Amino acid sequence: MRIYVLGAGVVGVTTAYTLACLGHDVSIIDKAEDVAMGASWANGAQLSFSYTDPLASPATLKKLPAYLLGLDPATQLRLSANPEYIRWGLLFLRNCLPDRFRVNKSERLKLAELSEVVFKNFRDEFPKGALKQTGKGKLVIAQTDQELQAMKTKPQFIDRDECLGAVPSLRHWTGDLKGGLFAEEDLALDTQIYCRAFKQILIQKWDTQFYFEETVKIVSPQSDGTQIIITDKTEHRSDSVIVCLGNDPKPLLRPLGLRLPLYPIQGYSLTLPTTPDSPVMSVTDLKSKMVYANLGDKMRIAGFVDANQKTDRIEDRLTLLKTTAQKNWPNVADFDGPITQWTNARPMMPSGVPVIRQTKTKGIYLNLGHGSLGYTFAAGSAKKIATMIGHARKNTAITGGSHHAA
Ligand SMILES: Cc1cc2nc3c(=O)[nH]c(=O)nc-3n(C[C@H](O)[C@H](O)[C@H](O)COP(=O)(O)OP(=O)(O)OC[C@H]3O[C@@H](n4cnc5c(N)ncnc54)[C@H](O)[C@@H]3O)c2cc1C
């Protein structure tokens, strides 16, 4: 079957690879000039298979007034009259209720568990070292009593001394450290390395076509069950389309009668040189909504959760990210060295559960809305799509159209 994957972020390239493994003839289209140039570019770099709680939770509900009024430095869900935000917000509120939270949490954990297994398979299938981790293990630290109490009920809980044993560099931590959740199997790996490894294997093994700098305008379903994909450059005909467009699928989905409550939740990152004290293990600070990940010769510090942030405040948010990291953990990275700053948005569903399904239109599938853990969920999400589509049937010819190369 000729399948077009729209979007070459972590979700798109992983989906393309998984489908190619099943014998499909896969092509990828992206408006950017290479893979991983959207939300996947400089994210927290964590494959966080063990800690997957959604943002919408009873705990978040309690803090919501502070988040809405801009009183929490790490989370600023600014009010807006945008109807899409209002719809998202109302659904988000509903998902903060305990019964919804339980269901969403369990869905996310299941997807993360599947992702962990599939990711391990990728590592075996890829050339040696292509997906080699740069950060090993993960520690989520509690700074408040409330965080500590919630953690104590979990099997991965370790106390303060054990945290210091797991990440010796935390002896320089100046914030509170009350305990943590330890996940030995979690890891960090630069998403750019990950996506390039997928691109390389797709090209080398299956001659996969990547159409870069091509913006998809319309996906037009045909009466014979195929689709014509109209871009700003040409047309492509496919038997199936997988929409992996991160934050931008809405213009494409609306004409197909689909209105997903997807909203961009902004985050920020800094990439800076390591020091001898930089940890190998990733660390997540729940209170400050920040993550620290080792990328080999660089540290990635990412975080904050913003909605509708004003453009002229982005510089302030990046500065705050840096000063918070420097204050809490002065030698986690070389703050005087060259720093690369980045901001982008998490494509977030109110529930925090990604949309991985076939649409009512034959041959069109969605792999979207991975929010804060799109990198972690990419492998499991790809596997789910591949399971829906199944193995390629021999001699599946495309009828009634031609394929134009860009
Ligand atoms: C600050 C920050 C930190 C994060 N940290 C982590 C983390 O540590 N671990 C984790 O698991 N997740 C993390 N995430 C979330 C994760 O980065 C995202 O969920 C993930 O990157 C989404 O991947 P994607 O492939 O769906 O989207 P994208 O990477 O945005 O890919 C979508 C692609 O579609 C292309 N596109 C869009 N519209 C069109 C069009 N019309 N035509 C053609 N191409 C188009 C874009 O160019 C883009 O390349 C973080 C996110 C942020 C912002």
Side-chain angles (χ1 to χ4, degrees):
M1 206 186 330
R2 175 170 287 269
I3 301 180
Y4 273 78
V5 173
L6 311 184
V10 283
V11 175
V13 296
T14 316
T15 305
Y17 171 79
T18 312
L19 291 168
C21 286
L22 294 184
H24 296 289
D25 176 6
V26 182
S27 302
I28 304 190
I29 307 178
D30 199 294
K31 66 181 180 186
E33 66 198 32
D34 207 341
V35 291
M37 298 199 79
S40 304
W41 177 254
N43 74 1
Q46 294 193 350
L47 288 161
S48 174
F49 302 119
S50 308
Y51 189 85
T52 58
D53 285 6
L55 180 62
S57 68
T60 295
L61 196 57
K62 283 192 195 140
K63 295 182 194 147
L64 211 52
Y67 293 168
L68 292 169
L69 295 170
L71 302 176
D72 184 298
T75 308
Q76 302 201 338
L77 306 177
R78 300 171 68 88
L79 293 167
S80 157
N82 178 347
E84 301 223 346
Y85 185 53
I86 293 170
R87 179 172 173 235
W88 183 89
L90 291 173
L91 291 169
F92 182 83
L93 279 179
R94 211 160 84 192
N95 280 287
C96 286
L97 300 176
D99 53 340
R100 291 273 179 150
F101 171 66
R102 262 192 303 278
V103 173
N104 298 335
K105 186 174 155 172
S106 145
E107 286 297 307
R108 281 167 65 94
L109 191 59
K110 271 193 275 177
L111 186 55
E113 284 170 355
L114 175 62
S115 295
E116 186 172 7
V117 174
V118 178
F119 178 76
K120 282 188 177 146
N121 292 342
F122 291 161
R123 278 184 145 179
D124 294 339
E125 293 156 14
F126 275 54
K128 201 170 178 329
L131 296 177
K132 191 171 183 300
Q133 69 205 20
T134 47
K136 185 167 167 23
K138 170 165 164 163
L139 181 67
V140 183
I141 58 168
Q143 288 209 64
T144 66
D145 288 331
Q146 198 188 8
E147 287 164 3
L148 181 68
Q149 290 319 317
M151 284 184 186
K152 273 186 168 169
T153 59
K154 305 194 179 186
Q156 306 99 324
F157 176 73
I158 57 173
D159 65 22
R160 185 178 193 280
D161 287 345
E162 288 169 315
C163 287
L164 290 167
V167 186
S169 165
L170 277 174
R171 68 186 181 281
H172 302 292
W173 180 262
T174 64
D176 284 323
L177 175 59
K178 293 182 182 273
L181 296 177
F182 174 60
E184 196 171 8
E185 295 298 316
D186 287 3
L187 56 111
L189 168 64
D190 192 338
T191 44
Q192 293 168 41
I193 292 175
Y194 175 99
C195 287
R196 282 191 216 119
F198 276 79
K199 178 180 155 192
Q200 196 169 352
I201 202 167
L202 277 161
I203 293 172
Q204 277 176 359
K205 212 163 166 185
W206 294 288
D207 218 6
T208 300
Q209 284 285 338
F210 279 79
Y211 298 95
F212 288 120
E213 299 187 77
E214 206 171 317
T215 303
V216 180
K217 298 288 185 191
I218 294 169
V219 175
S220 171
Q222 305 296 293
S223 54
D224 62 0
T226 64
Q227 307 83 35
I228 294 181
I229 301 161
I230 302 169
T231 73
D232 57 348
K233 291 197 174 149
T234 185
E235 290 181 13
H236 306 263
R237 188 179 278 262
S238 66
D239 293 316
S240 277
V241 170
I242 324 292
V243 183
C244 307
L245 294 178
N247 285 296
D248 309 310
K250 286 184 183 173
L252 228 68
L253 299 184
R254 240 174 262 127
L256 299 170
L258 290 163
R259 275 187 72 227
L260 288 190
L262 188 74
Y263 206 77
I265 300 297
Q266 197 160 355
Y268 310 83
S269 81
L270 310 170
T271 309
L272 51 182
T274 50
T275 70
D277 282 319
S278 294
V280 177
M281 187 174 297
S282 297
V283 171
T284 294
D285 166 8
L286 288 182
K287 185 180 164 206
S288 309
K289 300 259 185 335
M290 286 171 60
V291 301
Y292 300 83
N294 195 314
L295 304 182
D297 58 346
K298 299 265 189 306
M299 278 304 288
R300 173 72 43 76
I301 301 175
F304 296 171
V305 177
D306 288 359
N308 309 310
Q309 194 53 270
K310 289 183 182 158
T311 317
D312 62 7
R313 291 224 49 226
I314 288 172
E315 206 51 51
D316 291 349
R317 300 296 280 155
L318 285 159
T319 303
L320 184 65
L321 190 69
K322 183 182 166 198
T323 52
T324 308
Q326 202 168 6
K327 180 168 152 281
N328 283 344
W329 205 351
N331 40 3
V332 68
D334 177 5
F335 290 96
D336 297 325
I339 299 186
T340 308
Q341 302 181 330
W342 178 78
T343 183
N344 209 294
R346 307 161 181 94
M348 192 89 101
M349 293 298 288
S351 62
V353 179
V355 182
I356 308 163
R357 64 173 169 89
Q358 183 166 12
T359 66
K360 283 184 184 147
T361 310
K362 187 169 183 274
I364 301 183
Y365 295 80
L366 308 179
N367 198 357
L368 291 165
H370 294 75
S372 56
L373 286 182
Y375 187 26
T376 305
F377 292 150
S381 307
K383 172 81 178 171
K384 282 186 149 196
I385 290 285
T387 306
M388 287 171 210
I389 292 183
H391 280 270
R393 272 169 293 159
K394 290 236 157 29
N395 304 324
T396 325
I398 296 181
T399 52
S402 61
H403 168 74
H404 306 272

